[in-house]
Amino acid sequence: MAPLVGGDIRRGTEIQAAVLHSCNDARTYPRLITLPGPNEIQITIRAVGLGSLGIEPYLKENTRVSEPSTLGHQATGVVTCVGDGVEGFQIGDAVAIEAGVPCRVCAKCREGRYDVCRDPKLRGSIKSYPAFRGAFQASINHPAASCHKLPAKISLEMGSLLEPLAVAIHAKEEAHLEPTDSILIIGASTIGLSCAAVCIASGSKDVMIADNLKNRIGFAVDHGFAKDGMTMLPCGGTALRDQLPFARRLAERATQLKRDPTGFNVVFECTGTEVNAQAAIYAAREGGEVIFVGNNHHKKRLPNRLVAMLGTFGQASSYEAAIDLITCSERLPDLRKLITHRHHGLASVLPAVQMAAKTKDEKGNVVLKVVIILDPNKGTRWRHRMSTLSLG
């Protein structure tokens, strides 16, 4: 095992962490980190992208934590220590961290479907008990099997986009896409835009994206994430008698813009709202497919149509495919454009979360992916090999 830099092996080493106590109560103070255990590597965190898992607990007034928690799950960093039994990693490697850690022993894991693992652990989730600390801290120990080496072409900052890209790849693989298929993406968030990017990289030329935010639609079309865009108006009621006609009208507008009343071959629903799920089903042509991406739809009231419906949550073995897509694809839109705002240091976690919850900043610019950079030089790209390594 490589030596830990600084600290006392018996008690651990102090590192700084941004710790959530309750809504809008994030405190930065020291915590202890020990040597990595068997089959683990220790990683000094360099960049963390903000997703809903790391945003909502900070801002929801009813947030309750079983114990003070460190969130953050779309992370990259540099290996600083290697545990016993680890092969393929060495000090100085730049890595992306797969936050979901499957049990690897249940039937689904053995099938390779660890997205439906029976006993997963999710780093940076307040629902994990005991707490599985997230990446809003200087260093973490993580299973080597859930880490992925970054090639020189992918910066540590850009590596924070691998998680949503892997989710999108997993969703695309569940669909039966053909290059000539017409595709509708509902929701122009980072997940929705990643789904659009994956479809385009696969050869799709007929991609439309719909969102209730005009600036996101403009971003998607201007930067090559979609051929066409449609602005959606919010539904005025929650009663089913209001929602279903509204959803049908949304779908009709989309098919009119497409100039094909039969509907879309494949619809990716990326918002999780009930009315948008209904609209997705209406927008698909008979015999088409609707993929509900990364959201829980099992309690939603949905219309009955002759379409295939499938839900996905997370991803399974898609990180390496995401790395290959970024490094090799000539069709992939420029994912770097998705990172619209950067904050620096653990003390900026709460302001970064508040920014990520907005749709535009004080200058009127669109807000998509917010990344927290923990590099002391505050750069957006770092060397993957470092001559001096430190935990502090």
Side-chain angles (χ1 to χ4, degrees):
M1 178 185 290
L4 187 68
V5 182
D8 184 331
I9 291 176
R10 292 168 298 178
R11 65 179 291 272
T13 299
E14 278 194 351
I15 58 170
Q16 290 295 307
V19 185
L20 177 68
H21 284 252
S22 62
C23 175
N24 283 312
D25 183 6
R27 311 174 194 177
T28 303
Y29 52 77
R31 281 187 153 185
L32 293 179
I33 187 170
T34 62
L35 285 167
N39 302 312
E40 291 183 336
I41 57 178
Q42 190 165 100
I43 303 156
T44 296
I45 302 300
R46 287 291 181 253
V48 188
L50 295 184
S52 59
L53 189 68
I55 295 172
E56 293 176 359
Y58 278 88
L59 303 179
K60 283 189 174 180
E61 292 185 0
N62 62 349
T63 293
R64 297 289 184 272
V65 294
S66 57
E67 58 183 286
S69 300
T70 305
L71 306 188
H73 68 289
Q74 297 176 357
T76 63
V78 176
V79 177
T80 52
C81 190
V82 179
D84 290 335
V86 173
E87 297 181 357
F89 292 94
Q90 61 184 7
I91 290 177
D93 284 342
V95 296
I97 299 161
E98 194 173 341
V101 178
C103 71
R104 302 191 186 277
V105 296
C106 72
K108 291 299 181 182
C109 282
R110 293 198 302 271
E111 292 173 7
R113 288 299 306 269
Y114 63 77
D115 55 313
V116 286
C117 171
R118 300 304 184 193
D119 188 25
K121 293 172 64 179
L122 182 57
R123 185 176 289 282
S125 171
I126 62 171
K127 296 180 180 179
S128 294
Y129 186 83
F132 191 23
R133 292 184 187 177
F136 291 159
Q137 60 182 51
S139 300
I140 61 172
N141 295 326
H142 200 69
S146 295
C147 296
H148 305 270
K149 286 202 285 190
L150 295 177
K153 188 175 180 179
I154 301 180
S155 69
L156 288 160
E157 179 187 280
M158 191 171 182
S160 66
L161 295 172
L162 285 173
E163 193 264 353
L165 187 61
V167 169
I169 289 172
H170 179 58
K172 190 271 295 183
E173 289 175 346
E174 294 295 328
H176 300 88
L177 279 183
E178 298 291 340
T180 57
D181 282 347
S182 57
I183 298 165
L184 174 63
I185 313 284
I186 299 180
S189 63
T190 304
I191 290 291
L193 291 166
S194 296
C195 286
V198 168
C199 292
I200 290 170
S202 299
S204 301
K205 295 180 174 60
D206 189 5
V207 178
M208 178 185 291
I209 198 157
D211 197 278
N212 61 351
L213 298 173
K214 190 174 181 179
N215 60 351
R216 288 189 174 183
I217 296 299
F219 175 95
V221 174
D222 291 346
H223 294 289
F225 288 84
K227 178 183 176 183
D228 299 297
M230 183 186 83
T231 304
M232 304 166 62
L233 298 175
C235 181
T238 58
L240 197 60
R241 65 177 179 272
D242 298 322
Q243 285 188 342
L244 290 181
F246 183 84
R248 190 187 293 273
R249 289 194 297 272
L250 286 178
E252 289 173 351
R253 280 186 57 216
T255 55
Q256 287 169 2
L257 287 171
K258 178 180 174 293
R259 297 183 177 87
D260 184 352
T262 63
F264 294 82
N265 296 98
V266 183
V267 182
F268 293 89
E269 203 297 299
C270 304
T271 70
T273 69
E274 186 170 62
V275 70
N276 287 345
Q278 295 161 354
I281 293 170
Y282 283 130
R285 65 178 55 180
E286 287 194 353
E289 294 179 287
V290 179
I291 310 296
F292 299 114
V293 183
N295 295 288
N296 187 349
H297 290 78
H298 75 277
K299 293 183 180 180
K300 291 180 170 46
R301 302 165 294 179
L302 302 176
N304 185 18
R305 291 196 67 230
L306 294 177
V307 298
M309 293 183 284
L310 182 69
T312 67
F313 185 81
Q315 55 82 40
S317 305
S318 299
Y319 261 72
E320 292 300 326
I323 290 171
D324 290 343
L325 192 64
I326 292 175
T327 54
C328 300
S329 175
E330 296 181 355
R331 298 192 186 106
L332 187 71
D334 188 356
L335 296 181
R336 293 172 297 182
K337 301 288 187 182
L338 295 178
I339 301 176
T340 56
H341 294 77
R342 298 165 178 84
H343 289 247
H344 299 273
L346 291 172
S348 72
V349 167
L350 187 54
V353 166
Q354 292 167 341
M355 176 61 72
K358 298 177 180 179
T359 59
K360 59 182 179 181
D361 62 19
E362 64 279 358
K363 297 180 180 178
N365 298 315
V366 64
V367 177
L368 288 168
K369 179 59 67 179
V370 177
V371 174
I372 298 174
I373 296 169
L374 302 187
D375 183 73
N377 296 322
K378 299 184 179 180
T380 60
R381 188 174 183 88
W382 307 283
R383 290 180 301 166
H384 288 180
R385 302 292 179 265
M386 303 173 68
S387 58
T388 303
L389 298 172
S390 172
L391 290 180

